[in-house]
Amino acid sequence: MRSYWLLTPALLVFTVLAIPYEEYILAPASRNLLPTSVYQVNGSVTNPAALTSSTTGNTTFHGTSSVTYDFGRNIAGIISLDVASAPASAFIGVTFTESHLWISNEACDATSDAGLDSPLWFHVGRGSGLYTAGKKHTRGAFRYLTVVSNTTSTVSINSIRVYYTAAPTQDLRAYKGYFHSNDELINRIWYAGAYTLQLCSIDPSTGDSLEWLGILDSTDNITLPRTDSWWLNYTITNGSSTLVDGAKRDRLVWPGDMSIALESVAVSTADLDSIRTALESLFALQKANGRLAYAGKPFYDIVSFTYHLHSLIGASSLFQYTGDLAWLSRYWEQYKRGVQWALTSVDDTGLANITASADWLRSGMGAHNIEANAILYYVLNDAISLAQTLDDLSSTKNWSKTATGIKTAANNLLWDDQSDLYTDNETTTLHPQDGNAWALKANLTTSFNQSEAISSALASRWGPYGAPAPEAGSTVSPFIGGFELQGHYLAGQPDRALDLMRLQWGFMLDDPRMTSSSFIEGYSTDGSLVYAPYRNTPRVSHAHGWSTGPTSALTSYAAGLHLIGPAGVTWLFKPQPGNLTQVEAGFTTPLGSFEMAFRSSTEGFYQLTFTTPNDTSGSVEIGDVTGELVSDRGVSVQLVNGRATGLQGGTWRLTSP
Ligand SMILES: *[C@@H]1O[C@H](CO)[C@@H](O)[C@H](O)[C@H]1NC(C)=O
Ligand SMILES: *[C@@H]1O[C@H](CO)[C@@H](O)[C@H](O)[C@H]1NC(C)=O
Ligand SMILES: *[C@@H]1O[C@H](CO)[C@@H](O)[C@H](O)[C@H]1NC(C)=O
Ligand SMILES: *[C@@H]1O[C@H](CO)[C@@H](O)[C@H](O)[C@H]1NC(C)=O
Ligand SMILES: *[C@@H]1O[C@H](CO)[C@@H](O)[C@H](O)[C@H]1NC(C)=O
Ligand SMILES: *[C@@H]1O[C@H](CO)[C@@H](O)[C@H](O)[C@H]1NC(C)=O
Ligand SMILES: *[C@@H]1O[C@H](CO)[C@@H](O)[C@H](O)[C@H]1NC(C)=O
Ligand SMILES: *[C@@H]1O[C@H](CO)[C@@H](O)[C@H](O)[C@H]1NC(C)=O
Ligand SMILES: *[C@@H]1O[C@H](CO)[C@@H](O)[C@H](O)[C@H]1NC(C)=O
Ligand SMILES: *[C@@H]1O[C@H](CO)[C@@H](O)[C@H](O)[C@H]1NC(C)=O
Ligand SMILES: *[C@@H]1O[C@H](CO)[C@@H](O)[C@H](O)[C@H]1NC(C)=O
Ligand SMILES: *[C@@H]1O[C@H](CO)[C@@H](O)[C@H](O)[C@H]1NC(C)=O
């Protein structure tokens, strides 16, 4: 009897453990990687393909020559060469690059703001056998590897391997979250975001020591290639894994970057421990007056009003996904001192007057800046909600009054109703992307119509490669773009969010200069891979956690799985499909799984179902659907204008009216 056979315990376990849509996951199945193909050959080389995964045998370099290999996607790791034969004088060098733009047999792409990084050289003349790079020469991200023989001798290599070092504590393909829709580009974007964040999760003892900052302070420019110009041996946090800004660089903890990265980690790998170690390293640097760091060590101490606030957002957001009350309580006094420090900038207009320019490398961060004030407004509302959870209402009156003052003053002093956008401050006509996206995210607007107008005005500025950030020159910022995506959903414009993902993240995924697997940190409005704040273009990181906004936006908004209370003890299911006709998604918190599926047409939703953990409760907003929700416990609830409240956890299905 086939049905009995299918229900044997072993098969049941297999079914439970299967990862939905695992075929989209870009992380490798094994940590031992070989190149997948030969990209190009220079000079006389026999059997270059022998070093790829598809062929065996030796590759032989005859005199000065090189081969560039492609790993098919961005990876990270420590390289080993298995040398078959080489005379005493022989050297083999390897160079790394994320983009094919910087393939070279003389240098790697860059990790500093000057010059290029030197190759790693192996003195293979010491005999046949295995040569392995030291741990500090882990390369944080590369897709292309060029193997160079620089002498007249003949050298045979039997294999080249990379030990994959990213996401050191993760079972690389055991995602806790998944997403699937009828739009393949959107699906690939969700998974590339999740994979980018795996590349940005690192062994904390392999952070950048930033010695090049010291080098750069000297008056000499660095010439190409710099000798032993890069190494990764600074311990940046406690623990066994931590989340950094970028995989190649900076390999430092940056709180702003984490505001996007944290949410996308939470709905995909759920590796929140790597975020906890990062946040703790920032709280360890808090000053006596409450001020938090611009970045983790060894970055030098700079005041940044916005990045200070991003650490507070990180703490609140981590608590939202973990529900770890003990952790929150441990940091609560520090959190409150952080809020207090920010309040000292609020003047009698009601707005914070920003006197520290450091932010996400935008310019003009000063005075009554809209981005800084929108973020402060967001943080004050967060703080009030945390205070209620901890039942410490000592400051909430003042926070609430200050928040109201910010909202009133921002709308009086900074709203430009000619443009339907906020200006950057009172003395400029520039309408920034960051402040307007944050105004939507923070609900700084006074009406839904105003939010819709901002969404429309932002969308009308898109160019052929995405949404501009005029506050940073002619830059497309996938970081601020991530907040803009959330803003369009919050303004009830899911099609704009999807269109921006397809336009901007589609470009970032499929343009041949990219890695087809991870997201770049920034580029120009003309599509060139120049990021205006850097004078050295090869430095741009092609795996930057702050560019992964679509992953959480799709799960939270398109699929509609919103956590309200800690770890989702209360929740809201509010799908906003736009023109997606089929969506399935899920993720887990310590309380259990949140999952959903629906099909949608111009007639509305059908085959709609969602599951939330037992012992939770929530509400739904499902368009203007009429009909009934029926639970697996036999409870039915009538939807009124698509809404219902007070639903218990469990599996619910929409039945037709
Ligand atoms: C081949 O290598 C030589 C010597 O390094 C270099 O000058 C030349 O540009 C390279 N050619 C290609 C096509 O990379
Ligand atoms: C590779 O080279 C080594 C040393 O010359 C030789 O012993 C071995 O047979 C070669 N392997 C293959 C597959 O040709
Ligand atoms: C090859 O590179 C090594 C390491 O940089 C260097 O010591 C050696 O002089 C180079 N050999 C030639 C012929 O350029
Ligand atoms: C360093 O490079 C910059 C930019 O190319 C140039 O303006 C400056 O004169 C250089 N400095 C020295 C000491 O060569
Ligand atoms: C890191 O490596 C550099 C270069 O080899 C070395 O000078 C430095 O002392 C090392 N730092 C630590 C903390 O090991
Ligand atoms: C590491 O943990 C120790 C002990 O809890 C703490 O004192 C220190 O501040 C932590 N350091 C970082 C960088 O998180
Ligand atoms: C006000 O905003 C403009 C545009 O971003 C900027 O150029 C200017 O520096 C800002 N003012 C201050 C005081 O930061
Ligand atoms: C902000 O504070 C600085 C320093 O006190 C002051 O010079 C500046 O005029 C203030 N800006 C505004 C817009 O009030
Ligand atoms: C209340 O908030 C204001 C800013 O609105 C701040 O200046 C003041 O220090 C706060 N008072 C207390 C007691 O925290
Ligand atoms: C946003 O603010 C308005 C008042 O300005 C309020 O009516 C609305 O409920 C707020 N929205 C949310 C989601 O908090
Ligand atoms: C959704 O809209 C985009 C453009 O906005 C279009 O390219 C795509 O085909 C649409 N998909 C469906 C299923 O209608
Ligand atoms: C949730 O509750 C239902 C109904 O009581 C029960 O059948 C199910 O096993 C529970 N699920 C979990 C994960 O505890």
Side-chain angles (χ1 to χ4, degrees):
M1 300 262 293
R2 220 169 114 235
S3 54
Y4 279 107
W5 198 82
L6 278 173
L7 286 173
T8 60
L11 282 164
L12 269 181
V13 167
F14 178 78
T15 308
V16 169
L17 291 181
I19 313 277
Y21 300 107
E22 193 192 343
E23 64 272 25
Y24 288 90
I25 295 176
L26 292 162
S30 157
R31 287 190 183 268
N32 293 303
L33 305 182
L34 302 176
T36 52
S37 61
V38 173
Y39 185 81
Q40 66 184 35
V41 179
N42 186 346
S44 171
V45 181
T46 311
N47 201 9
L51 300 183
T52 65
S53 49
S54 52
T55 319
T56 56
N58 296 330
T59 295
T60 302
F61 295 80
H62 305 279
T64 308
S65 52
S66 63
V67 181
T68 300
Y69 293 98
D70 183 355
F71 283 81
R73 66 194 58 173
N74 218 354
I75 62 163
I78 296 174
I79 184 140
S80 293
L81 309 177
D82 190 359
V83 174
S85 65
S89 60
F91 282 87
I92 291 289
V94 293
T95 70
F96 305 94
T97 178
E98 295 186 277
S99 168
H100 75 65
L101 291 176
W102 314 111
I103 288 174
S104 157
N105 53 18
E106 293 175 8
C108 308
D109 58 6
T111 53
S112 80
D113 212 5
L116 295 165
D117 288 1
S118 56
L120 286 185
W121 285 105
F122 297 88
H123 186 193
V124 295
R126 284 184 285 124
S128 61
L130 204 62
Y131 293 79
T132 300
K135 183 174 149 194
K136 74 181 169 194
H137 287 131
T138 300
R139 190 70 179 179
F142 62 99
R143 174 173 167 176
Y144 303 96
L145 177 81
T146 300
V147 181
V148 187
S149 178
N150 72 340
T151 63
T152 52
S153 44
T154 296
V155 180
S156 285
I157 299 180
N158 186 253
S159 77
I160 287 193
R161 280 166 203 283
V162 172
Y163 179 75
Y164 187 88
T165 47
T169 57
Q170 292 181 25
D171 179 349
L172 293 173
R173 292 172 64 84
Y175 282 20
K176 299 291 196 301
Y178 60 91
F179 179 89
H180 188 258
S181 75
N182 60 299
D183 186 324
E184 279 305 320
L185 176 60
I186 292 291
N187 299 340
R188 290 194 297 117
I189 288 171
W190 191 96
Y191 282 91
Y195 182 58
T196 300
L197 290 162
Q198 290 184 288
L199 288 171
C200 295
S201 304
I202 70 166
D203 173 342
S205 67
T206 59
D208 191 346
S209 60
L210 288 185
E211 310 233 349
W212 64 269
L213 277 178
I215 297 168
L216 273 186
D217 283 346
S218 75
T219 49
D220 293 332
N221 283 335
I222 288 121
T223 50
L224 169 159
R226 293 159 56 198
T227 307
D228 194 20
S229 63
W230 62 277
W231 56 81
L232 302 169
N233 61 2
Y234 195 94
T235 299
I236 52 174
T237 72
N238 287 329
S240 310
S241 178
T242 201
L243 184 78
V244 293
D245 60 333
K248 179 182 72 173
R249 59 139 275 279
D250 299 327
R251 294 177 77 85
L252 298 179
V253 175
W254 282 101
D257 308 53
M258 247 194 296
S259 274
I260 286 280
L262 191 157
E263 297 183 329
S264 290
V265 165
V267 301
S268 57
T269 61
D271 180 12
L272 293 169
D273 224 45
S274 295
I275 288 170
R276 182 182 54 75
T277 54
L279 279 169
E280 289 178 354
S281 78
L282 295 170
F283 277 97
L285 295 175
Q286 190 173 31
K287 301 291 179 196
N289 67 0
R291 180 170 66 79
L292 289 154
Y294 183 33
K297 268 185 161 178
F299 205 82
Y300 43 86
D301 185 41
I302 298 181
V303 180
S304 168
F305 189 84
T306 50
Y307 273 44
H308 165 89
L309 294 177
H310 281 297
S311 286
L312 300 177
I313 293 172
S316 157
S317 201
L318 181 68
F319 173 66
Q320 177 166 46
Y321 283 100
T322 61
D324 186 345
L325 201 58
W327 186 86
L328 181 65
S329 304
R330 197 174 325 134
Y331 286 94
W332 180 239
E333 289 305 319
Q334 284 189 262
Y335 179 99
K336 282 196 295 186
R337 282 196 284 121
V339 175
Q340 205 52 43
W341 180 81
L343 291 183
T344 59
S345 294
V346 176
D347 65 23
D348 55 14
T349 61
L351 292 171
N353 174 12
I354 312 306
T355 53
S357 64
D359 193 14
W360 59 272
L361 299 184
R362 56 154 293 168
S363 52
M365 170 49 68
H368 293 140
N369 177 276
I370 184 65
E371 185 210 14
N373 277 281
I375 299 177
L376 178 57
Y377 180 76
Y378 182 92
V379 165
L380 289 171
N381 286 310
D382 243 8
I384 291 165
S385 138
L386 293 176
Q388 285 161 350
T389 301
L390 291 166
D391 201 21
D392 170 6
L393 305 181
S394 52
S395 301
T396 50
K397 266 212 181 107
N398 198 38
W399 294 346
S400 173
K401 188 172 122 255
T402 305
T404 306
I406 291 170
K407 186 163 186 164
T408 305
N411 284 290
N412 284 340
L413 301 175
L414 302 176
W415 177 249
D416 173 4
D417 59 11
Q418 300 302 302
S419 306
D420 283 337
L421 290 168
Y422 292 94
T423 57
D424 210 24
N425 56 51
E426 287 155 280
T427 58
T428 180
T429 54
L430 186 134
H431 304 102
Q433 182 192 20
D434 58 7
N436 282 285
W438 267 99
L440 293 174
K441 181 172 162 79
N443 193 30
L444 197 67
T445 53
T446 55
S447 70
F448 193 73
N449 283 349
Q450 189 187 5
S451 295
E452 204 291 324
I454 294 174
S455 159
S456 169
L458 287 173
S460 73
R461 308 199 299 188
W462 296 346
Y465 303 99
E471 65 276 28
S474 40
T475 290
V476 174
S477 169
F479 171 46
I480 302 306
F483 298 119
E484 182 175 332
L485 293 177
Q486 298 178 10
H488 292 302
Y489 278 115
L490 289 164
Q493 299 299 324
D495 275 321
R496 284 199 192 120
L498 290 171
D499 284 347
L500 184 55
M501 286 184 219
R502 294 178 185 115
L503 174 69
Q504 184 168 324
W505 277 267
F507 167 68
M508 291 160 66
L509 189 53
D510 288 337
D511 185 273
R513 295 164 296 173
M514 309 287 189
T515 66
S516 357
S517 52
S518 61
F519 290 125
I520 193 171
E521 94 183 288
Y523 54 95
S524 287
T525 48
D526 67 3
S528 63
L529 303 197
V530 174
Y531 185 48
Y534 299 156
R535 54 179 168 143
N536 191 31
T537 295
R539 181 186 182 207
V540 173
S541 157
H542 281 258
H544 232 62
W546 76 4
S547 304
T548 64
T551 303
S552 70
L554 287 165
T555 301
S556 302
Y557 297 104
L561 296 169
H562 299 264
L563 305 185
I564 305 288
V569 68
T570 51
W571 40 263
L572 167 66
F573 177 55
K574 182 186 175 181
Q576 292 177 271
N579 80 348
L580 298 177
T581 55
Q582 183 255 320
V583 175
E584 270 180 76
F587 66 97
T588 65
T589 76
L591 293 179
S593 327
F594 292 78
E595 294 187 83
M596 57 65 63
F598 62 69
R599 284 170 185 272
S600 140
S601 70
T602 47
E603 315 282 293
F605 291 104
Y606 59 106
Q607 295 178 18
L608 178 146
T609 161
F610 67 92
T611 301
T612 55
N614 289 342
D615 305 321
T616 66
S617 64
S619 49
V620 298
E621 291 180 28
I622 316 180
D624 49 9
V625 165
T626 51
E628 229 173 44
L629 287 173
V630 178
S631 84
D632 54 351
R633 300 180 197 184
V635 179
S636 22
V637 171
Q638 187 67 44
L639 291 169
V640 179
N641 298 323
R643 291 170 190 240
T645 56
L647 307 185
Q648 293 306 301
T651 295
W652 293 84
R653 261 167 235 291
L654 177 69
T655 62
S656 301

